[in-house]
Amino acid sequence: MMIKRQSKEWPDARGYFGRFGGQFIPEVLRPALNELHHAYLMFKDDPQFQSELLAELSDYAGRPTPLYFARNLTSHYGRAKIYLKREDLAHTGAHKINNTIGQILLAKRMGKKRIIAETGAGQHGVATATVAAKYGLQCCIYMGEEDMARQQPNVMRMKMLGAEVRAVHTGTKTLKDATNEALRDWLTNVKTTHYIIGSVVGPHPFPMMVRDFQSIIGKEVLEQIRSKQISLPDYLVACVGGGSNAMGLFYPFLPYENVKLIGVEAEGLGLSSGQHAASLTAGRPGIFHGMLTYLLQDENGQIRLPYSISAGLDYPGVGAEHSFLMESKRASYHSVTDRQALWAAYVLTRLEGIIPALESAHALAYLEELMPRTTEQQTVVVNLSGRGDKDMDTYIRHLNDFEQVLKTIRIGNTL
Amino acid sequence: MSQRLRQRIGQSIRSGKKLLSLFVTAGFPDPELTVDIILACDKAGVDFIELGMPFSDPIADGPVIQKASDIALQKGMTINRILNMVKTVRNQSSIPIILMGYVNPVFQTGFEPFFARCAEAGVDGLILPDWPPEESTRFTDLLNQYDLDLIHLIAPNTPLERIKQIDQHSKAFVYCTAYTGVTGKDSHTSNGIESFLSTLREHLNNPFLVGFGIKSAEDFNYYSGFSAGCIVGSAFIKTIENIRQQEIDEKVKEFVHRIRYGPETG
């Protein structure tokens, strides 16, 4: 395969990826962002920081996570080989820990005493509470009331880890509003507090920094795929809410232009219903949470209420770099509905014995569309960004709808 | 016509009278009342108005202004309707008006079309807390062309070098927050505020006003002691929360008196 490389590094000095990104923030946050930026640039290439980070990622978080050949899923579709990057096997059950370890090491070096975070599905909240416990920092997690109800197990985990979970009652009571409240807390306690943003969103340097911490995913895939005598995968598929697991997988592959990058957004009840969270597929550029990016908004620039069955994708914006990758056509973005995601979760569970997070199930669901276009010589890597324990209530509630069809799938196509 | 704003500030400083500006969310408590509230402010001796453009996600605001913003949006406030309100006020009053809001609705309108319409409606200035100099300075010429003053904020944690830089980019005045945080908290909790305000007095070329958490004559006098005056937001929003048409003049007058001189005095 011919390997093309692109050269330009993003973001630029102003925190822009092309025309997206930036620092649209109240002045009071400026000193904190500058401090964070300087600290990050200083420690990023510091051998001691890097060796501490790598040791934590390996011995504490359990990296590298496996790249698993999904034999049954592959024969189910009968086309390209499907590999799953098993981020669900990382400590705390999702890729979120890659970022929280990196950021807490920075927070310690900056002398911060207190950590705050927003969370949707609760995975980032748990990953933050986990490292805060390990490093002995005070921790406060903002979570929408609605999300607390649908992700109870994660709320309990955070509490057991010693974090204070603050219920957010404003707006949609989901991730957008939890992020607003976390920002307001940061505005107020900026001297003592570090805000661990959970995705590649927010003002510069967060999108760059979170991407870099998550890019361990793609770096491992590059090595692992070669050890399987495959030079490069043909497709990378990942779900996109804010987009950190996708960015982490995609980033090391950006120079390899023959590798097709596919992000999958949450289409909820369908694009025409208006009940979805597909910012890239159905939104337009705007300024929100400190960045210029694709947003769900009304004609007056008010942010629209997103909807998804998956709490982790239920966000009206998306990482600025994804907006850039879409407009520059380096990556393509698609969407799948709640039902498609549920279906994909049941299929994976029955065929491979892996219960995926509802977020990750969106990536899996896109295989229905992608696989018929592939050949047996090709390779697809799907980022299995998290495990499904937290979604058991939802899965059990919908299982009956799918049970009959599931039986036929297993017997008909696989064995 | 931002000369109106600069003239008003200049006159006040020359006469030694401290400036009082009130913040009101456009469309709160009802779009029918906003023009009357602004006119009542003018009559009550308020020096200029900050007219809040409601936004779905006001991250720099506390609960009081968040709620006002939500209600105004539910009642259908848009940039168009706000500019029409300013036009209506302009038929009867020359009180300087600054639009204050978040940048996305402006971005969706388009910066230049928005500035042009502001100028046409009679807006004097803009405050957009999430549009810092890094993003806005490339629009300076355009803002000048439409004679709009862009007011920047600084906070007690803003370093001196940065303060000087913002001062250079500012026109009319610099908006200093009484503490680091969101609007509508207790302004007395801030440590080291005196030395910060003294630093500002020493280094700023522009006049500055203090806002955030100002809710009494005590606050007004304290912060005015260092500055050209104060901006009151959440406390005023609470006062007009359930206001009826016929009591606007009286309630606003009472409020202005309470802020300038304290309660219950002649």
Side-chain angles (χ1 to χ4, degrees):
Chain A
M1 181 189 281
M2 193 179 67
I3 295 170
K4 292 189 206 159
R5 286 177 172 274
Q6 58 176 39
S7 54
K8 177 99 171 106
E9 282 285 320
W10 301 100
D12 65 17
R14 293 166 62 230
Y16 274 85
F17 305 87
R19 67 177 178 123
F20 299 103
Q23 286 186 311
F24 295 87
I25 41 130
E27 188 59 34
V28 62
L29 292 182
R30 172 82 37 196
L33 288 177
N34 287 348
E35 180 190 17
L36 181 62
H37 194 203
H38 289 143
Y40 179 63
L41 291 184
M42 186 161 81
F43 290 118
K44 183 168 96 116
D45 302 316
D46 172 41
Q48 206 193 333
F49 180 85
Q50 280 304 324
S51 72
E52 196 179 346
L53 176 62
L54 286 174
E56 292 292 39
L57 287 174
S58 108
D59 299 349
Y60 185 65
R63 305 205 69 90
T65 59
L67 184 68
Y68 165 69
F69 175 50
R71 192 179 303 277
N72 295 342
L73 195 64
T74 297
S75 56
H76 170 68
Y77 287 110
R79 299 291 174 117
K81 287 192 274 301
I82 300 170
Y83 286 86
L84 303 177
K85 179 59 174 165
R86 297 291 309 274
E87 291 301 294
D88 60 317
L89 294 178
H91 181 40
T92 71
H95 68 291
K96 294 293 187 186
I97 193 84
N98 304 331
N99 171 43
T100 60
I101 289 178
Q103 287 205 45
I104 202 134
L105 291 177
L106 272 182
K108 285 289 266 193
R109 280 167 170 75
M110 291 189 295
K112 301 292 178 182
K113 305 276 180 259
R114 180 171 175 268
I115 294 297
I116 56 170
E118 84 296 338
T119 197
Q123 290 302 113
H124 175 57
V126 167
T128 303
T130 297
V131 294
K134 178 174 153 64
Y135 285 91
L137 296 185
Q138 197 191 333
C139 180
C140 174
I141 306 291
Y142 289 91
M143 189 170 187
E145 203 179 20
E146 172 81 14
D147 290 339
M148 286 179 74
R150 54 179 171 172
Q151 313 275 215
Q152 260 301 308
N154 276 343
V155 175
M156 289 186 279
R157 289 165 83 196
M158 287 184 270
K159 286 182 176 166
M160 181 157 172
L161 287 160
E164 180 193 351
V165 183
R166 286 196 191 158
V168 176
H169 308 289
T170 51
T172 37
K173 306 177 175 67
T174 61
L175 181 54
K176 160 179 97 89
D177 307 283
T179 308
N180 290 345
E181 279 309 310
L183 280 167
R184 288 181 186 121
D185 182 316
W186 202 30
L187 280 164
T188 308
N189 302 301
V190 61
K191 271 193 185 145
T192 58
T193 300
H194 175 61
Y195 177 14
I196 301 190
I197 290 186
S199 191
V200 287
V201 300
H204 179 64
F206 282 107
M208 167 182 77
M209 190 174 71
V210 177
R211 172 199 73 193
D212 291 352
F213 286 138
Q214 291 294 1
S215 66
I216 184 82
I217 302 172
K219 283 180 200 154
E220 287 176 5
V221 170
L222 253 175
E223 278 183 26
Q224 289 166 323
I225 203 90
R226 281 174 183 160
S227 75
K228 294 173 198 300
Q229 277 72 54
I230 299 167
S231 69
L232 281 171
D234 298 280
Y235 295 93
L236 302 179
V237 185
C239 66
V240 176
S244 70
N245 88 80
M247 220 41 248
L249 176 64
F250 294 172
Y251 187 62
F253 287 92
L254 288 183
Y256 305 101
E257 290 192 348
N258 292 332
V259 180
K260 295 181 186 65
L261 313 176
I262 298 172
V264 185
E265 295 192 298
E267 200 181 311
L269 303 179
L271 292 181
S272 57
S273 72
Q275 300 282 302
H276 60 80
S279 323
L280 289 164
T281 317
R284 59 178 203 281
I287 297 163
F288 183 58
H289 286 161
M291 60 181 166
L292 204 169
T293 191
Y294 273 75
L295 299 176
L296 297 177
Q297 54 186 322
D298 70 14
E299 68 280 11
N300 297 307
Q302 306 294 342
I303 306 307
R304 264 196 25 212
L305 313 181
Y307 163 79
S308 166
I309 193 170
S310 140
L313 302 181
D314 202 351
Y315 183 68
V318 65
E321 193 163 8
H322 285 297
S323 294
F324 172 65
L325 291 177
M326 181 175 76
E327 284 203 350
S328 62
K329 299 199 162 49
R330 178 64 190 91
S332 65
Y333 295 86
H334 307 271
S335 58
V336 300
T337 62
D338 287 355
R339 281 192 73 79
Q340 290 171 307
L342 281 168
W343 168 250
Y346 298 126
V347 169
L348 183 76
T349 305
R350 293 295 166 90
L351 292 182
E352 297 288 351
I354 298 170
I355 303 178
L358 260 170
E359 291 76 15
S360 323
H362 284 71
L364 293 163
Y366 187 69
L367 294 177
E368 292 282 330
E369 195 172 324
L370 175 65
M371 295 315 290
R373 289 190 267 129
T374 63
T375 66
E376 284 175 42
Q377 288 70 44
Q378 291 183 310
T379 307
V380 175
V381 174
V382 181
N383 202 8
L384 201 67
S385 56
R387 69 181 187 217
D389 310 36
K390 67 188 177 56
D391 299 309
M392 285 316 296
D393 281 356
T394 311
Y395 284 149
I396 296 298
R397 207 164 49 242
H398 291 91
L399 185 58
N400 279 342
D401 308 352
F402 296 90
E403 191 67 71
Q404 286 309 316
V405 203
L406 275 173
K407 279 178 187 152
T408 63
I409 279 237
R410 177 165 184 89
I411 295 160
N413 294 356
T414 311
L415 297 177
Chain B
M1 251 263 302
S2 61
Q3 277 175 7
R4 245 187 322 247
L5 177 60
R6 273 171 265 146
Q7 275 169 7
R8 179 73 64 116
I9 292 169
Q11 279 162 13
S12 239
I13 290 170
R14 280 192 298 277
S15 70
K17 193 182 174 220
K18 297 301 179 178
L19 292 152
L20 172 62
S21 170
L22 295 187
F23 170 92
V24 53
T25 302
F28 178 82
D30 192 277
E32 297 299 312
L33 303 181
T34 302
V35 168
D36 289 341
I37 291 169
I38 296 171
L39 294 173
C41 288
D42 190 10
K43 276 183 253 171
V46 171
D47 292 291
F48 61 93
I49 293 290
E50 278 177 48
L51 187 57
M53 300 186 283
F55 182 54
S56 52
D57 296 83
I59 55 152
D61 284 301
V64 173
I65 294 177
Q66 283 176 45
K67 191 176 149 200
S69 193
D70 282 348
I71 289 171
L73 286 176
Q74 280 161 25
K75 296 196 175 184
M77 283 317 295
T78 60
I79 283 183
N80 275 338
R81 290 186 72 183
I82 295 167
L83 291 172
N84 285 335
M85 286 172 173
V86 176
K87 276 185 200 164
T88 311
V89 171
R90 280 289 164 259
N91 294 331
Q92 303 166 64
S93 161
S94 63
I95 186 166
I97 297 176
I98 299 172
L99 294 185
M100 180 167 190
Y102 294 81
V103 72
N104 192 49
V106 174
F107 179 73
Q108 297 307 321
T109 309
F111 287 108
E112 180 155 21
F114 176 75
F115 299 159
R117 286 159 67 189
C118 282
E120 188 210 339
V123 171
D124 301 283
L126 300 172
I127 302 178
L128 299 165
D130 58 348
W131 203 43
E134 281 71 12
E135 304 294 346
S136 57
T137 41
R138 64 200 169 95
F139 293 94
T140 303
D141 289 346
L142 210 54
L143 286 159
N144 288 339
Q145 187 188 318
Y146 290 105
D147 207 9
L148 291 167
D149 290 341
L150 182 65
I151 315 296
H152 291 290
L153 279 82
I154 54 175
N157 65 342
T158 309
L160 183 58
E161 276 313 299
R162 177 76 179 168
I163 289 171
K164 289 178 180 169
Q165 194 190 341
I166 288 173
D167 191 29
Q168 277 179 8
H169 291 302
S170 297
K171 273 172 85 181
F173 71 96
V174 174
Y175 188 142
C176 169
T177 67
Y179 50 82
T180 62
V182 296
T183 56
K185 290 195 168 181
D186 192 340
S187 64
H188 291 298
T189 53
S190 184
N191 293 324
I193 189 72
E194 287 209 20
S195 69
F196 173 66
L197 295 171
S198 306
T199 306
L200 291 187
R201 200 154 57 171
E202 191 182 331
H203 292 281
L204 286 182
N205 291 317
N206 284 291
F208 72 100
L209 278 83
V210 181
F212 281 36
I214 314 269
K215 57 184 173 315
S216 64
E218 192 192 343
D219 296 339
F220 181 80
N221 290 327
Y222 176 78
Y223 290 107
S224 293
F226 298 91
S227 65
C230 289
I231 299 159
V232 181
S234 298
F236 185 56
I237 294 290
K238 276 189 211 163
T239 300
I240 60 170
E241 194 174 2
N242 298 308
I243 207 164
R244 286 168 309 186
Q245 182 92 44
Q246 61 273 24
E247 57 184 12
I248 288 176
D249 279 352
E250 182 199 336
K251 285 267 167 89
V252 170
K253 196 175 153 199
E254 233 174 65
F255 181 82
V256 168
H257 193 274
R258 178 152 67 82
I259 295 294
R260 278 201 183 272
Y261 310 107
E264 308 281 319
T265 52

